[in-house]
Amino acid sequence: MELTGAEIVVRCLAEEGTEFVFGYPGGAVLNIYDEVFKQNKFKHVLVRHEQAAVHAADGYARATGRTGVALVTSGPGATNAVTGIATAYMDSIPLVVISGQVPTAAIGMDAFQEVDMVGITRPCVKHNFLVKDVRDLAETIKKAFYLASTGRPGPVVVDIPKDVTQHKTEFTYPKKVTMRSYNPVIKGHPGQIKRAVQMILDAKRPMLYTGGGVVLSNAAEELTQLTRQLGFPITSTLMGLGGYPASDPLFTGMLGMHGTYEANMAMQHCDVLIAIGARFDDRVIGNPEHFFQDGRRIIHIDIDPTSIAKRVKVDVPIVGNVKDVLAEMNKLIQVSKEKPDQAALKTWWTQIELWRSQDCMKYDRDSSLIKPQYVIEKLHQVTRGDAYVTSDVGQHQMWAAQYYKFDQPRRWINSGGLGTMGFGLPAAMGVQFAHPEAMVACVTGEGSIQMNIQELSTCKQFNLPLKIILLNNRYLGMVRQWQEFFYGNRYAESYMDALPDFAKLAESYGHVGMKIEKPEDVEGALKEAFDMKDRLVFMNFITDQKENVFPMIPAGKGLSEMILV
Amino acid sequence: MENEAGALSRVAGLFSARGYNIESLTVAPTEDATLSRMTIVTRGSDDVIEQITKQLNKLIDVVKVVDLSEAGHIERELMLVKVRAEGELREEMKRMSDIFRGRIVDVTDKTYTIELTGAGYKLDAFLEALDKDAILETVRSGASGIGRGDRMLKV
């Protein structure tokens, strides 16, 4: 039977097992929306801004590992989606974003709501398509899902002109798709894996450095097995948190610009560094020249060959899926008669414990003001470490990463690469749709939350019982911190004046609002909020204005050049 | 690479976004109409060339990447040069064209248009050898390359 392009889009999404489409209608996608209306295979979630549609699809993808889907119209709908797409691209999140386009005959005519979506998104997608013929539509959508979810995942845009959604063709959905130009390597090279294992067994001062690749490839189990059977110290990037249980003694905390003293020092002074699904980016190792350490050998496992030897030279590169490579390594280590030098490892741990005894995460617990770190610690306690935590970008993001001890993967959801303020609330919506029964907390700042605050309306429409933890210091805190450290306390435009009454604002959207001003009220308020299982609670914590994120490595410095409290 | 609309802009966009320079770029469909072949001349340290190769391979439309300069290869570029050909210059230009094995492909009473093929340095040498004031216009195709002997880039 012949179907219209619009019918085909909807059928393809159903074939892919799509549960939710996050979107916003408009002229170019009216035909598609008409078919969305007629079907019941997936639920459409109407957001209040296209950026939020993509972030919500992204949050859904991060929390589930499945491909998120967003649907936007042409022109401004498409451009509004770009920040969301770039956010997903930087963090390698599988998304399919369908955008409407003006009719093919109008393309290039500066038509109403026309924008070159394929051109605009080219640098921030894994791939994109403009579908000019309805006969190519089904296969293109199949390819989009295939590309988004395999290899190093990423967002794929499918731009569909309005007339293509009207044209008819015979519909068959391809069972599978092969592309001669796209064959991601999954299994690591056996020789390289052997070399790596030998290097690991010979290590005197080993260090495991893990990143978002562990979470993306669902390799937490393999990583935990590897780490525990070796007894090696392990650290994680911001993106990898939860890949290894943070409450485990082998875990040295997050590394990088705001990482722990022990993790950063161990990174710098180890003799064998095992990088797993991490990419040595500037917020992690700082300046590559300062990071360089004579005699330290590096093993680097990554599915994307371009991530290897990009910023740091490595001794044993292994291109492959982290999960598969770690499983191979575990097997080899299990059958090997050799064991790492236990005496050397013990000495190394003594050194690490010495660094750890610096207690770099300490803060003033007797303050009469609410300390943001304290709020996160209490959040962890009240939710028994079992919440999904999304965040925006800034100081609150770092505190959430440092003080909420993530023991499971896919629980910590934040924009690490692009650093997108406004991500937290819509991402939390996507998470709550994926896990309706779960506790979902959005840790945010008064700057970030206002970048997508309109989504409180979406939350009301769909009864999403999110808990918004606003750490309100009346400053763009991270900007203020840099201005304090590096710009002679000149707080240029970082003060947030004329803030709304957030509690009343939340109430006006039909939610519960709270304002918490004293440290002794923090725990009770959190308990009260999480007891309201069917309501969104917006918690406005008035925190210490001058609190800073420590430790800190100034930009351009090396890992051992930390500023401690 | 796949002979798809927009494939060229993906390559060009990659070079500009990552700060690599393109000295020349040529592209045309191959005997298999679904494929295009592109020759890019670029410059960089070994590390940069390695990154460029990897980044190109990562583009979905790119089927295969070969660094021709890793082994024996032939490089050819086409140049058309319009030169002044009046008075004593007329004979001089004919002679220079012959020395460089060029061909005069268009003649007027005032100008010659010379076609010259060769590696980039040969074309540079030809332009160097001419009197600057005699050169009216040049157009170069950019280099095309192919491996020597059994070395083949085939899909």
Side-chain angles (χ1 to χ4, degrees):
Chain A
M1 203 181 84
E2 292 210 323
L3 301 182
T4 66
E7 288 171 312
I8 289 172
V9 169
V10 167
R11 287 281 292 272
C12 290
L13 294 179
E15 290 278 348
E16 287 294 334
T18 304
E19 291 180 287
F20 298 100
V21 173
F22 301 89
Y24 205 102
V29 285
L30 276 172
N31 293 320
I32 299 175
Y33 267 91
D34 197 37
E35 295 307 320
V36 168
F37 184 83
K38 294 177 197 162
Q39 61 82 46
N40 58 7
K41 299 277 193 217
F42 57 81
K43 189 178 172 113
H44 180 273
V45 177
L46 176 69
V47 294
R48 301 299 184 266
H49 187 289
E50 286 88 352
Q51 183 189 346
V54 184
H55 288 330
D58 181 323
Y60 170 87
R62 290 181 203 234
T64 60
R66 308 187 60 197
T67 301
V69 180
L71 172 58
V72 299
T73 193
S74 67
T79 54
N80 278 347
V82 171
T83 299
I85 294 167
T87 302
Y89 180 68
M90 288 293 274
D91 292 342
S92 309
I93 305 304
L95 292 187
V96 170
V97 178
I98 295 173
S99 55
Q101 183 53 278
V102 300
T104 42
I107 291 178
M109 299 289 147
D110 300 323
F112 176 65
Q113 293 193 331
E114 179 186 1
V115 74
D116 174 11
M117 183 59 164
V118 165
I120 281 181
T121 58
R122 192 184 303 118
C124 61
V125 291
K126 184 168 175 184
H127 198 58
N128 57 20
F129 299 94
L130 170 64
V131 185
K132 284 183 166 166
D133 187 330
V134 71
R135 287 169 297 184
D136 299 332
L137 185 55
E139 198 191 345
T140 303
I141 294 176
K142 181 78 195 174
K143 279 184 183 168
F145 276 91
Y146 171 59
L147 289 171
S149 60
T150 55
R152 179 177 181 174
V156 178
V157 167
V158 183
D159 198 33
I160 311 176
K162 189 169 186 181
D163 55 327
V164 172
T165 65
Q166 284 160 329
H167 295 160
K168 283 188 165 186
T169 190
E170 201 64 41
F171 172 70
T172 48
Y173 198 61
K175 284 268 175 293
K176 62 188 277 250
V177 63
T178 52
M179 297 168 75
R180 63 180 166 188
S181 59
Y182 176 73
N183 298 293
V185 177
I186 303 300
K187 297 258 178 248
H189 188 280
Q192 290 293 87
I193 294 177
K194 254 188 214 154
R195 277 183 62 203
V197 166
Q198 194 56 53
M199 199 176 272
I200 287 169
L201 294 172
D202 292 342
K204 304 267 189 263
R205 300 186 311 280
M207 182 69 176
L208 291 157
Y209 152 52
T210 65
V214 172
V215 177
L216 291 167
S217 78
N218 298 313
E221 205 178 300
E222 289 78 3
L223 177 67
T224 305
Q225 194 192 333
L226 178 81
T227 311
R228 289 195 175 146
Q229 71 177 334
L230 292 167
F232 283 4
I234 178 170
T235 181
S236 166
T237 67
L238 179 71
M239 295 310 296
L241 293 175
Y244 188 84
S247 54
D248 189 280
L250 298 179
F251 190 67
T252 59
M254 180 172 78
L255 83 162
M257 184 173 271
H258 296 296
T260 66
Y261 186 67
E262 52 271 32
N264 285 340
M265 292 300 276
M267 273 291 279
Q268 191 66 32
H269 297 289
C270 61
D271 72 335
V272 173
L273 179 61
I274 306 128
I276 306 169
R279 58 188 175 86
F280 295 91
D281 82 83
D282 54 305
R283 285 299 191 265
V284 167
I285 62 157
N287 186 332
E289 282 164 28
H290 293 224
F291 179 67
F292 178 79
Q293 185 83 20
D294 218 15
R296 179 183 55 203
R297 285 166 303 166
I298 301 178
I299 298 162
H300 192 177
I301 307 164
D302 204 294
I303 199 160
D304 179 1
T306 69
S307 286
I308 297 176
K310 183 168 69 180
R311 300 193 76 235
V312 172
K313 279 204 195 310
V314 302
D315 300 276
V316 184
I318 302 173
V319 177
N321 188 29
V322 165
K323 188 182 181 75
D324 295 74
V325 174
L326 292 187
E328 276 305 307
M329 289 173 97
N330 281 333
K331 253 191 262 169
L332 290 179
I333 291 167
Q334 264 169 355
V335 300
S336 169
K337 290 188 185 66
E338 293 176 62
K339 288 268 170 279
D341 180 343
Q342 294 304 307
L345 194 56
K346 197 163 169 245
T347 312
W348 178 227
W349 268 112
T350 308
Q351 174 63 65
I352 290 169
E353 292 303 340
L354 199 66
W355 287 324
R356 197 179 252 170
S357 66
Q358 277 271 342
D359 193 14
C360 66
M361 295 295 192
K362 60 179 175 274
Y363 64 88
D364 178 11
R365 288 171 188 276
D366 303 321
S367 172
S368 59
L369 301 169
I370 297 179
K371 289 287 180 181
Q373 300 95 322
Y374 178 72
V375 178
I376 304 296
E377 281 184 341
K378 286 294 157 194
L379 173 67
H380 182 259
Q381 197 185 322
V382 167
T383 58
R384 299 172 307 281
D386 195 29
Y388 288 81
V389 179
T390 74
S391 91
D392 277 295
V393 172
Q395 286 184 320
H396 66 270
Q397 176 189 27
M398 292 301 116
W399 286 316
Q402 291 174 330
Y403 293 90
Y404 198 99
K405 304 291 178 197
F406 293 94
D407 280 343
Q408 297 169 72
R410 301 197 178 278
R411 294 303 182 107
W412 166 236
I413 286 157
N414 81 128
S415 166
L418 196 67
T420 309
M421 291 171 70
F423 174 81
L425 176 56
M429 300 184 331
V431 175
Q432 190 79 77
F433 277 111
H435 303 293
E437 304 301 324
M439 290 180 280
V440 182
C442 167
V443 176
T444 186
E446 76 286 354
S448 288
I449 191 68
Q450 293 191 86
M451 285 210 184
N452 263 322
I453 199 154
Q454 76 287 345
E455 296 309 314
L456 286 174
S457 173
T458 310
C459 293
K460 184 61 192 169
Q461 184 179 344
F462 293 92
N463 293 315
L464 301 177
L466 305 177
K467 304 295 177 273
I468 296 173
I469 316 292
L470 168 59
L471 302 178
N472 184 350
N473 60 1
R474 287 82 71 212
Y475 272 116
L476 299 176
M478 192 58 93
V479 173
R480 192 204 59 75
Q481 178 170 342
W482 282 55
Q483 288 169 336
E484 179 188 329
F485 289 6
F486 312 120
Y487 294 90
N489 297 303
R490 292 182 299 281
Y491 297 142
E493 305 301 318
S494 56
Y495 183 67
M496 276 268 144
D497 207 350
L499 289 169
D501 179 332
F502 285 106
K504 276 192 188 152
L505 179 70
E507 282 162 13
S508 79
Y509 278 106
H511 302 305
V512 179
M514 289 183 182
K515 186 176 188 181
I516 305 97
E517 296 177 272
K518 294 198 205 91
E520 57 268 29
D521 295 338
V522 169
E523 187 172 351
L526 283 164
K527 277 185 180 155
E528 192 188 336
F530 278 94
D531 279 343
M532 286 186 255
K533 299 212 181 303
D534 54 351
R535 298 297 299 277
L536 183 149
V537 184
F538 193 123
M539 313 181 74
N540 181 12
F541 291 94
I542 305 302
T543 62
D544 183 353
Q545 285 199 283
K546 293 292 174 73
E547 189 56 272
N548 288 322
V549 181
F550 290 111
M552 178 177 187
I553 300 168
K557 298 283 188 179
L559 286 179
S560 51
E561 297 163 271
M562 272 163 280
I563 305 172
L564 298 170
V565 187
Chain B
M1 53 202 288
E2 298 290 350
N3 189 7
E4 298 271 357
L8 170 61
S9 63
R10 289 181 207 280
V11 173
L14 170 70
F15 273 74
S16 62
R18 295 201 180 262
Y20 309 139
N21 67 68
I22 300 181
E23 298 208 347
S24 77
L25 183 159
T26 65
V27 60
T30 64
E31 72 280 9
D32 173 352
T34 66
L35 286 172
S36 288
R37 176 161 170 147
M38 182 181 277
T39 306
I40 301 170
V41 179
T42 183
R43 228 173 252 287
S45 63
D46 287 352
D47 292 349
V48 169
I49 298 297
E50 184 187 332
Q51 263 299 313
I52 292 176
T53 307
K54 287 177 178 177
Q55 293 286 355
L56 283 169
N57 263 314
K58 189 171 159 181
L59 292 177
I60 305 296
D61 283 337
V62 171
V63 182
K64 209 167 175 185
V65 181
V66 165
D67 180 355
L68 283 174
S69 63
E70 269 180 350
H73 68 284
I74 297 158
E75 177 191 329
R76 288 292 180 272
E77 181 173 357
L78 174 75
M79 175 168 69
L80 298 172
V81 193
K82 191 165 289 183
V83 293
R84 215 183 289 285
E86 288 171 294
E88 59 193 36
L89 266 179
R90 202 163 178 86
E91 187 48 37
E92 167 73 4
M93 287 300 162
K94 171 82 173 70
R95 208 165 48 234
M96 289 303 285
S97 171
D98 288 344
I99 292 170
F100 280 85
R101 296 197 200 151
R103 296 197 304 150
I104 296 172
V105 291
D106 187 49
V107 178
T108 70
D109 51 2
K110 289 186 181 141
T111 67
Y112 285 153
T113 300
I114 302 168
E115 173 194 317
L116 197 63
T117 309
Y121 65 85
K122 179 183 158 180
L123 308 189
D124 294 341
F126 180 63
L127 293 177
E128 282 291 311
L130 296 183
D131 178 359
K132 291 277 164 298
D133 297 333
I135 302 172
L136 299 171
E137 187 181 353
T138 63
V139 54
R140 297 172 67 149
S141 65
S144 291
I146 197 164
R148 281 195 185 273
D150 291 339
R151 203 170 165 233
M152 265 170 270
L153 171 55
K154 264 286 206 190
V155 176

